[in-house]
Amino acid sequence: MILTARGIDVAGVAADGAEAVAAARRLRPDVALLDIRMPTMDGLEAARRILAEVPGCRVIMLTTFDLDSYVYAALAAGASGFLLKDVTPEHLAAAVRLVGTGDALLAPSITRRLVERCAPAASRPAAAPRELEALTPREREVLTLLGHGRSNAELAAELTLSEATVKTHVARIFAKLSLRDRAQAVVLAYETGLVTPGSP
């Protein structure tokens, strides 16, 4: 009702995670709103399956609990956003529109803080994984700075580049590494060891 009243088409509704995955496969939505805690299959597993099986779909996770570990788990599962259930109707509609355009719902600096706090240090590889070999040295530098939560304007200033050039580098990084948004770039920068907790 909230979304429909604000001009957003609601393709379907599901009572649990398994129904959500089935509905997403059938209906091919642009955005899926998932509760982290659902019966049959939790929202994190549903998000993983939807993102793997429904190309172009983005996920926003909803929860009652404002816990960093939930936010990190949602981002690691591939979610593009995270909201508390007490969000205002206006903010919910704005979030769906924002994520639908390809943006992430969390600011990169917040994402970086969460990943830094929650990413398990033992899981970080000592050497950069093969997937990063596709990047040029400049793209690796940009990804590292994205991992530190830099905006395009900050990247441009720090690297002495135009914002248009920075946007081109960011777009190429996303394409080469199959990333949907900056939130995923931050998570990847930590998971691959390009950025480590406490690094400047």
Side-chain angles (χ1 to χ4, degrees):
M1 260 178 21
I2 291 171
L3 297 175
T4 303
R6 284 157 182 80
I8 296 173
D9 292 329
V10 177
V13 178
D16 61 45
E19 282 185 26
V21 173
R25 282 185 198 128
R26 188 176 70 255
L27 300 168
R28 304 289 204 212
D30 296 320
V31 178
L33 290 172
L34 301 173
D35 191 337
I36 281 187
R37 296 169 72 178
M38 291 190 287
T40 310
M41 176 191 303
D42 70 26
L44 297 173
E45 182 58 27
R48 284 185 201 96
R49 292 186 187 189
I50 289 169
L51 292 168
E53 299 174 25
V54 184
C57 184
R58 297 177 184 278
V59 170
I60 298 174
M61 300 302 298
L62 296 166
T63 185
T64 307
F65 308 101
D66 186 14
L67 299 174
D68 283 352
S69 59
Y70 277 170
V71 179
Y72 177 73
L75 294 174
S80 295
F82 186 89
L83 292 172
L84 294 176
K85 285 185 182 177
D86 63 0
V87 66
T88 65
E90 294 76 21
H91 190 207
L92 179 62
V96 170
R97 285 190 181 99
L98 178 73
V99 170
T101 66
D103 281 336
L105 192 56
L106 293 175
S109 59
I110 294 170
T111 307
R112 182 191 54 77
R113 172 185 62 83
L114 292 168
V115 173
E116 187 170 291
R117 188 177 299 166
C118 300
S123 72
R124 292 189 195 99
R130 292 185 65 93
E131 63 189 330
L132 296 183
E133 291 175 6
L135 300 180
T136 66
R138 177 61 93 182
E139 289 166 348
R140 253 177 113 113
E141 186 177 15
V142 169
L143 179 58
T144 301
L145 293 172
L146 283 173
H148 285 290
R150 301 292 197 283
S151 67
N152 284 351
E154 291 168 333
L155 284 165
E158 193 162 336
L159 299 173
T160 320
L161 299 170
S162 71
E163 280 194 58
T165 301
V166 167
K167 287 178 184 176
T168 299
H169 284 307
V170 171
R172 287 183 182 152
I173 291 166
F174 286 8
K176 287 180 179 181
L177 301 179
S178 300
L179 300 173
R180 282 183 293 283
D181 52 45
R182 294 172 90 90
Q184 283 196 321
V186 173
V187 171
L188 182 72
Y190 274 87
E191 288 181 344
T192 58
L194 280 179
V195 179
T196 57
S199 63

